[in-house]
Amino acid sequence: MFHPDLISQSCQYENKIVGMPFSIGYSMLYSNKALLQKYGKTIPETWDELIDTSKYILEKENNTNLIGYNGLFDDSEHGLCSLIEFIYSCRNSVDSPFPDMENEIFHSDMDFALNSLFGGNALFIKFWTLPNSMLELMEYDMAPLPGKLKGVSGTSIAGYNIGIDSSISKRKINAAIEALKFLSSKELQKKYLLNDDLISGITELYKDEEVCKHIRCDAFLKVQPIGRPTTNLYSSTEYYQRIINYAHQYLYGNETASKALKQISDLTAIHFISMTKDRPSKIYAIIFFIIVNVLSFIFLTSIILLFTKKYKVYFDYLSPSFWIVIIIGLIIILSSFYTTIGPYTNMKCKLHNILLLFGCTMNISPFLHKLIVDCPERNKISEWASKHSNLFILIFMVIDSILSLITLINQNPEVETVIFNEGENFRKCSAKGKISLVIMGLVLFYYFFIVISILFLCYIEWCVKTYIYDVRTITIAIYFNVFSATLHTILYFTNFKNYIFYFIINNGFIIMSAVTSYIFEFGFRLFIPFNKKKENEVILYINTIYNLRGNKNNMDNNQQTFSSNIFTDISSSSNNTERSNEINRKFSHASITPSIPNNSFFLKLVNYHNQPINMRSSITPSNEISSSKKSNVI
């Protein structure tokens, strides 16, 4: 029944209809009929026609008091409407969206425009709809404003809407609905329209013969309404004034049209990183996309090495399934990058945190399991963990799922809009509200509980001779993880002034965490076969351990020899004993440390930390140990 653009432009809020048009007004073009008839011109339908007609008649009339076009571009809200409808009228077609256009516009105010209408000293005037009875007293004809192309225009909307207050009592709701139906009915609207009491938004009335005898129906049927811009970032007054100021900097100052339009657009535009839009930030999205995918590919393909003869022996510290869990965790951490592409939403921020939660847990929980199982003092927890390794990891996954569910059902907004007076607005993830802060606190407590447990066990097992490399590289990786997690948490409470910088810092910390974890947990093992010095050092050290334990004579002659050439070279070396002693001093400085009485918990910790404990190495396989016992190099 109503004009569809009228409803969408003036009666909706957050995609919901909140009212119905009761009395409306349009901005229209008033054309001086006498002057047009005098020079055989018609009412212009495009801006070019208006300019050409105005120039022609102004030259012929040679009257300095005659105004070519009064555009109503004053400093008030009317000037804003004139600007918006002018840009809207420069669309390429009726169905085209609101464009960005550069063109030349003209200045006026309400009093001046109204005086010009009554005085007849203007050729064309832009003004709001006037009652037909008043229009008959003027020398002007009313028509839709012109546009860039014929049939394309833009018309600002004014008037009053009616609706039902959401706080109305239930006993009055039915009566209110009936009143709304009556006031918006075609019969009542027609009555008021014929009496010049209002301009109706019901399109069908302008096809009624009785109505069309009284008013210019063709003009109202051709209007293409455009509503006034709205935003929740500023108050209406402040927003309108900013738009007008930027427009005037172009109209009456030295600002370029492109910059003025960009400043107007930036008032409400929310900038974000995208790989699809043609914007400067696209290159950053592509660079990080390539980095994340290349790293993910490297991490994933390196799993194959767990099952190759050359490398398998260097990953004995954990089972292959645990190494796979760790690698998948790192890939999940990297995949959080995809939630930072495109506009930030509450769901994206929640998903970002969930991916980091699962990724970090999968990355470090297998090490916690191993350290608990290898605890030098046997206990029930260690015994249970050694028998239920999969269940151990599953428990952490269940905890992650519970925390993720709490995150998802949290109704507090997770997105903060960062607004700049002279800059580019953007959104970032943040923790707003008590519930969000409590959830963040729970996640951090849970994460740091795992981290502290790992560091505690690393301290105890620090001198486990054949796990020295594993324990110490795990410790380094954990410290890097803590550093990255701390910085990432700080991001939630840091004020950034540039959305590109925020994107780079946010993803940079995540990539740094994943890469350092991979290097110190997994990657360094890939280079051991290529480092003869390190491999020799490991072999000599294992031999030292077995000599100290008195196991030199207990050899298994049926085991295969690993790296026999290396052992042969070492056994024939003249400075072999000296090198062995050096390695022994380096890693076994506590081998003769006397046992500290275990009557104190802290003394017991120090005792475990300082005393070397002999176990099989994860980076030196069992067949190497067998070979080392055979070689009897010390």
Side-chain angles (χ1 to χ4, degrees), residues 314 465-466 468-469 472 528 531-545 563 566-567 570 576 578-588 617 619-620 624 628 633-634:
Y314 296 103
K465 292 183 178 179
T466 50
I468 280 179
Y469 292 108
R472 300 190 182 189
I528 294 176
N531 190 338
K532 292 295 183 180
K533 181 179 179 181
K534 178 61 67 175
E535 192 172 37
N536 293 350
E537 185 177 288
V538 171
I539 294 169
L540 285 170
Y541 180 63
I542 297 301
N543 277 282
T544 302
I545 293 172
S563 304
I566 298 175
F567 280 98
I570 296 171
N576 185 47
E578 181 181 350
R579 181 64 176 157
S580 298
N581 292 334
E582 178 185 348
I583 303 302
N584 189 49
R585 286 194 303 271
K586 182 175 180 181
F587 295 109
S588 305
S617 173
I619 60 174
T620 305
E624 279 193 2
S628 68
V633 295
I634 299 182

Side-chain angles (χ1 to χ4, degrees), residues 16-77:
K16 296 180 181 179
I17 297 177
V18 295
M20 303 295 288
F22 176 68
S23 174
I24 63 172
Y26 293 121
S27 57
M28 306 292 274
L29 177 68
Y30 291 87
S31 304
N32 194 312
K33 293 184 293 183
L35 290 174
L36 291 179
Q37 292 173 0
K38 178 179 178 180
Y39 293 100
K41 299 293 184 178
T42 59
I43 296 175
E45 296 184 51
T46 67
W47 291 113
D48 287 338
E49 288 180 2
L50 185 145
I51 293 171
D52 292 340
T53 301
S54 298
K55 286 182 176 179
Y56 179 82
I57 295 178
L58 287 173
E59 290 176 359
K60 293 295 184 181
E61 285 292 307
N62 194 23
N63 182 356
T64 57
N65 293 324
L66 182 63
I67 299 168
Y69 176 59
N70 187 328
L72 198 57
F73 282 98
D74 62 3
D75 295 335
S76 70
E77 191 175 335

Side-chain angles (χ1 to χ4, degrees), residues 292-303:
V292 166
N293 281 275
V294 169
L295 289 175
S296 298
F297 178 78
I298 293 173
F299 292 177
L300 190 62
T301 53
S302 63
I303 293 177

Side-chain angles (χ1 to χ4, degrees), residues 157-393:
I157 309 169
Y160 301 93
N161 294 334
I162 54 174
I164 300 176
D165 196 316
S166 60
S167 62
I168 192 172
S169 63
K170 292 183 178 180
R171 64 185 181 86
K172 295 181 179 179
I173 187 68
N174 291 330
I177 292 173
E178 291 302 318
L180 184 63
K181 289 180 179 179
F182 173 73
L183 292 173
S184 60
S185 66
K186 188 184 297 184
E187 294 75 18
L188 184 67
Q189 291 274 310
K190 179 179 178 179
K191 176 182 176 181
Y192 287 151
L193 183 59
L194 291 173
N195 291 337
D196 269 351
D197 291 329
L198 56 76
I199 301 297
S200 178
I202 301 176
T203 306
E204 295 179 8
L205 289 178
Y206 300 107
K207 300 176 183 179
D208 188 295
E209 291 185 4
E210 184 181 1
V211 172
C212 293
K213 290 178 181 179
H214 182 68
I215 64 173
R216 286 286 308 275
C217 289
D218 58 331
F220 290 103
L221 288 173
K222 293 178 181 178
V223 295
Q224 297 169 27
I226 175 67
R228 306 175 196 191
T230 59
T231 180
N232 56 2
L233 302 180
Y234 311 92
S235 66
S236 297
T237 302
E238 182 184 4
Y239 179 45
Y240 295 158
Q241 191 59 53
R242 285 175 178 267
I243 294 177
I244 293 169
N245 290 341
Y246 288 137
H248 283 183
Q249 288 176 17
Y250 162 66
L251 290 173
Y252 315 119
N254 298 322
E255 200 62 83
T256 62
S258 59
K259 184 173 181 180
L261 287 171
K262 185 180 186 304
Q263 288 174 323
I264 293 173
S265 176
D266 284 344
L267 286 173
T268 55
I270 303 298
H271 294 268
F272 53 86
I273 302 293
S274 173
M275 290 191 294
T276 57
K277 291 193 174 183
D278 186 16
R279 54 175 64 192
S281 63
K282 180 179 179 181
I283 185 63
Y284 299 100
I286 294 175
I287 291 173
F288 274 86
F289 177 82
I290 293 173
I291 293 174
V292 166
N293 281 275
V294 169
L295 289 175
S296 298
F297 178 78
I298 293 173
F299 292 177
L300 190 62
T301 53
S302 63
I303 293 177
I304 300 173
L305 301 177
L306 295 172
F307 306 98
T308 61
K309 184 178 180 180
K310 183 176 182 179
Y311 288 98
K312 182 179 180 181
V313 291
Y314 296 103
F315 293 93
D316 281 351
Y317 184 68
L318 297 176
S319 66
S321 60
F322 271 16
W323 284 118
I324 293 173
V325 169
I326 290 170
I327 294 298
I328 293 176
L330 293 177
I331 294 174
I332 291 175
I333 290 173
L334 289 176
S335 68
S336 65
F337 154 80
Y338 297 103
T339 63
T340 65
I341 297 295
Y344 274 79
T345 62
N346 281 333
M347 183 54 67
K348 275 189 174 182
C349 289
K350 291 177 180 180
L351 182 59
H352 181 82
N353 293 333
I354 291 172
L355 290 173
L356 291 179
L357 174 62
F358 273 95
C360 290
T361 301
M362 294 176 69
N363 176 240
I364 63 178
S365 57
F367 293 114
L368 177 61
H369 173 269
K370 178 64 175 175
L371 291 166
I372 290 176
V373 170
D374 290 343
C375 182
E377 181 168 318
R378 304 308 298 174
N379 56 80
K380 292 183 179 180
I381 298 177
S382 297
E383 292 175 359
W384 180 90
S386 65
K387 296 177 182 179
H388 305 88
S389 58
N390 292 331
L391 181 59
F392 182 89
I393 302 299

Side-chain angles (χ1 to χ4, degrees), residues 478-498:
I478 291 298
Y479 279 127
F480 271 108
N481 273 327
V482 171
F483 178 70
S484 298
T486 303
L487 292 178
H488 192 266
T489 303
I490 293 174
L491 287 180
Y492 276 79
F493 307 98
T494 303
N495 294 323
F496 288 89
K497 296 184 178 180
N498 184 283

Side-chain angles (χ1 to χ4, degrees), residues 494-514:
T494 303
N495 294 323
F496 288 89
K497 296 184 178 180
N498 184 283
Y499 72 102
I500 296 177
F501 182 68
Y502 172 71
F503 172 83
I504 293 174
I505 293 297
N506 188 20
N507 287 289
F509 286 158
I510 292 172
I511 292 174
M512 179 185 72
S513 174

